[in-house]
Amino acid sequence: MKSIVSKLLYLRRAVLLSLVMTFLVPIVYVKPVYGGGLSPAQKKVLSSGVRYFNTELEQCETGSSSGGTSGGTFASAQLMTFASLPITSTWDISDSTAEQWFLKQAGARATITRYGLNNGNIGGITSAIKTAGVSPVFFYAYTVNEGGGAGGFINHYGSEAAGGGLGNAKRDAEYLANQSKIMTSQPSWIDAGNPVDFVPQDVKASGNASFQSMPSGTIGRAYIPATAATTWEVYYPNGLKSEFNQVQNYGHPLNDTMQNIQKMGGDPTKGGATVQSGASSSGCPSTTTVSGEGMEKAITWVKTIAANDGYGYDQGTRTTGWDKWQSDPNCTDKCASFDCSSYISAALTLAGYFDTNPNFNTGDEPQVLERAGFTKVATSAATSAGLQAGDILIASGHHTAMYIGNDQIAETGHDENHNYSGGQVGDQTGDENHVRGFYNYPPGGWTLVYRAPN
């Protein structure tokens, strides 16, 4: 009898347990996301009647600041840190490092080919970018990420600007600099190419509020209003997925740009030194100073000419380069010519050291420089050690060039046939006027170094 009662009690408990398990729904607290709104994945689960969410998974899907990611390499908090850095950040990467990295990227090939960029002329592009107030490191990483467009370096124009590579780099960098300072802009929630308005309103409200607190002059201020994928990546990572945007899977622009900076050797979450508008020094910390107050302008100009294939080398028409620059500074095709000394003379005149261009030659250059207040600081320069950006190098009676910092010089030395005259107007090879690594002029080396007055 006792055995039968025990069995009945066991069955009763089993039935009751079964009923409890049938109606019991596990409830787990879910941290509100984006001001309390549920993500689409959460809403889908909620509508099925289940009240349990995998909060660890949701952190990854929503990109919450508690350590999740947007689907790329970097966590959401790191993305926001990067987006809040100044657009002038260098990540302590030198200009030359950024240039060499850029020239080797498959993603830059179309742009490089379009503008004929190479080691000899990319310095002028870098100078134009910095003059506009943008870090070349960010600009080149951005260009590779965007892959160029119908016009220019970045994918925001449908046509070319005047002036070839130099003109387009200037226009694109100025766009980024100006965009970064607009405090009334809003995140780009809808992709103009695929105009589907799918982002929940509470997400937009939260993202808009967050964006308004982002400082002026930052990467996010330039990038987020311009590219919907960036907006989604920062504020609504699910938007990058086709099942949410109803169109296609998108990439991760900020993640990609940050990875590019990593590849150059920088830490994308630490901005490092910044460039100054018009500055010629590299982004990496350095004790190197510029020779003379006016030499910033001279350095920028020699880089500009080196990057402009409209100007070539010819000793017979050496003064036409300065004349043409004075009358038509926007010329980019078959403009005129310099030789080594008229190139330096023009740069120093532009910088304000001469009222009238003296058009000196390497024979009388030392005397002309000394009358203008330049000081002879060395009688040899086998390496760039001890030189300051803007120092004038002279191989007496043979050649002259300008040291521009970062172990580089700017010079013009021969026409397309490696002769002193008789070539075509303009730079036919990209090497007639150029920026190159420092070298000791053969056979006797640099015999004089002059420094501008402070």
Side-chain angles (χ1 to χ4, degrees), residues 20-30 45-46 48-54:
V20 169
M21 292 301 294
T22 299
F23 294 101
L24 181 63
V25 178
I27 299 175
V28 175
Y29 170 73
V30 180
V45 175
L46 182 63
S48 70
V50 177
R51 294 330 190 244
Y52 175 84
F53 298 114
N54 184 338

Side-chain angles (χ1 to χ4, degrees), residues 34 37-47 53 58 61-62 198-200 202-203 236 238-239 243-245:
Y34 303 124
L38 297 177
S39 73
Q42 289 175 328
K43 290 177 180 178
K44 182 178 180 180
V45 175
L46 182 63
S47 65
F53 298 114
E58 283 302 309
E61 290 183 346
T62 63
F198 63 89
V199 181
D202 58 335
V203 174
Y236 188 60
N238 278 333
E243 60 263 38
F244 289 93
N245 63 52

Side-chain angles (χ1 to χ4, degrees), residues 57-230:
L57 174 62
E58 283 302 309
Q59 287 176 357
C60 288
E61 290 183 346
T62 63
S64 72
S65 60
S66 58
T69 70
S70 69
T73 301
F74 297 94
S76 297
Q78 293 174 304
L79 291 179
M80 187 58 72
T81 296
F82 177 73
S84 299
L85 291 174
I87 201 167
T88 53
S89 300
T90 66
W91 299 274
D92 294 337
I93 299 169
S94 70
D95 293 346
S96 58
T97 296
E99 291 167 354
Q100 294 307 307
W101 175 85
F102 176 75
L103 290 173
K104 295 175 183 176
Q105 301 309 303
R109 186 53 47 197
T111 303
I112 292 169
T113 301
R114 178 187 300 165
Y115 300 124
L117 303 181
N118 54 48
N119 286 321
N121 60 28
I122 196 170
I125 302 296
T126 298
S127 180
I129 295 165
K130 293 171 73 171
T131 299
V134 176
S135 159
V137 177
F138 172 69
F139 187 90
Y140 289 135
Y142 187 111
T143 299
V144 170
N145 187 31
E146 294 288 320
F153 286 73
I154 62 176
N155 190 24
H156 290 283
Y157 289 97
S159 60
E160 297 280 336
L166 194 64
N168 281 275
K170 179 176 181 292
R171 177 194 65 174
D172 293 356
E174 287 176 347
Y175 161 81
L176 291 172
N178 292 335
Q179 186 71 36
S180 74
K181 297 179 178 69
I182 299 174
M183 296 302 291
T184 57
S185 58
Q186 295 288 336
S188 179
W189 295 106
I190 301 175
D191 181 8
N194 299 301
V196 180
D197 188 1
F198 63 89
V199 181
Q201 290 302 314
D202 58 335
V203 174
K204 289 183 181 179
S206 179
N208 289 340
S210 173
F211 182 72
Q212 289 312 307
S213 66
M214 189 170 289
S216 174
T218 54
I219 291 168
R221 283 252 157 221
Y223 221 147
I224 292 172
T227 308
T230 305

Side-chain angles (χ1 to χ4, degrees), residues 406-425:
N406 297 324
D407 202 39
Q408 292 183 313
I409 64 171
E411 64 177 0
T412 179
H414 54 75
D415 65 19
E416 69 271 24
N417 300 311
H418 285 259
N419 293 326
Y420 294 125
S421 62
Q424 300 180 49
V425 177

Side-chain angles (χ1 to χ4, degrees), residues 78-439:
Q78 293 174 304
L79 291 179
M80 187 58 72
T81 296
F82 177 73
S84 299
L85 291 174
I87 201 167
T88 53
S89 300
T90 66
W91 299 274
D92 294 337
I93 299 169
S94 70
D95 293 346
S96 58
T97 296
E99 291 167 354
Q100 294 307 307
W101 175 85
F102 176 75
L103 290 173
K104 295 175 183 176
Q105 301 309 303
R109 186 53 47 197
T111 303
I112 292 169
T113 301
R114 178 187 300 165
Y115 300 124
L117 303 181
N118 54 48
N119 286 321
N121 60 28
I122 196 170
I125 302 296
T126 298
S127 180
I129 295 165
K130 293 171 73 171
T131 299
V134 176
S135 159
V137 177
F138 172 69
F139 187 90
Y140 289 135
Y142 187 111
T143 299
V144 170
N145 187 31
E146 294 288 320
F153 286 73
I154 62 176
N155 190 24
H156 290 283
Y157 289 97
S159 60
E160 297 280 336
L166 194 64
N168 281 275
K170 179 176 181 292
R171 177 194 65 174
D172 293 356
E174 287 176 347
Y175 161 81
L176 291 172
N178 292 335
Q179 186 71 36
S180 74
K181 297 179 178 69
I182 299 174
M183 296 302 291
T184 57
S185 58
Q186 295 288 336
S188 179
W189 295 106
I190 301 175
D191 181 8
N194 299 301
V196 180
D197 188 1
F198 63 89
V199 181
Q201 290 302 314
D202 58 335
V203 174
K204 289 183 181 179
S206 179
N208 289 340
S210 173
F211 182 72
Q212 289 312 307
S213 66
M214 189 170 289
S216 174
T218 54
I219 291 168
R221 283 252 157 221
Y223 221 147
I224 292 172
T227 308
T230 305
T231 296
W232 304 334
E233 184 180 18
V234 175
Y235 299 119
Y236 188 60
N238 278 333
L240 299 171
K241 305 172 185 177
S242 60
E243 60 263 38
F244 289 93
N245 63 52
Q246 304 171 39
V247 177
Q248 65 182 44
N249 289 323
Y250 286 78
H252 302 80
L254 280 183
N255 263 283
D256 292 346
T257 303
M258 293 171 74
Q259 287 181 43
N260 285 339
I261 290 169
Q262 262 191 341
K263 292 172 184 175
M264 289 185 232
D267 181 346
T269 63
K270 298 177 181 179
T274 59
V275 299
Q276 302 298 317
S277 179
S280 61
S281 60
S282 72
C284 55
S286 174
T287 57
T288 301
T289 56
V290 177
S291 164
E293 294 180 359
M295 293 308 295
E296 294 276 12
K297 185 179 292 185
I299 292 168
T300 297
W301 187 82
V302 293
K303 288 182 176 181
T304 298
I305 294 298
N308 187 341
D309 289 342
Y311 291 90
Y313 180 97
D314 188 82
Q315 211 169 69
T317 56
R318 62 192 297 270
T319 64
T320 60
W322 174 250
D323 293 339
K324 183 64 175 179
W325 176 265
Q326 292 291 95
S327 62
D328 183 12
N330 294 318
C331 179
T332 59
D333 182 43
K334 298 180 180 179
C335 304
S337 305
F338 293 96
D339 70 353
C340 66
S341 51
S342 68
Y343 180 54
I344 301 302
S345 180
L348 298 181
T349 303
L350 184 85
Y353 292 103
F354 304 109
D355 293 330
T356 303
N357 188 351
N359 277 314
F360 51 64
N361 56 50
T362 53
D364 64 2
E365 182 177 3
Q367 293 76 28
V368 177
L369 291 179
E370 289 174 5
R371 287 196 296 268
F374 282 69
T375 302
K376 181 171 64 175
V377 294
T379 54
S380 64
T383 71
S384 62
L387 296 180
Q388 294 182 8
D391 282 350
I392 307 302
L393 307 171
I394 302 174
S396 299
H398 297 284
H399 190 48
T400 184
M402 182 185 293
Y403 179 69
I404 60 173
N406 297 324
D407 202 39
Q408 292 183 313
I409 64 171
E411 64 177 0
T412 179
H414 54 75
D415 65 19
E416 69 271 24
N417 300 311
H418 285 259
N419 293 326
Y420 294 125
S421 62
Q424 300 180 49
V425 177
D427 193 340
Q428 310 303 314
T429 63
D431 193 45
E432 296 184 42
N433 303 316
H434 57 230
V435 171
R436 60 166 293 173
F438 182 89
Y439 70 101

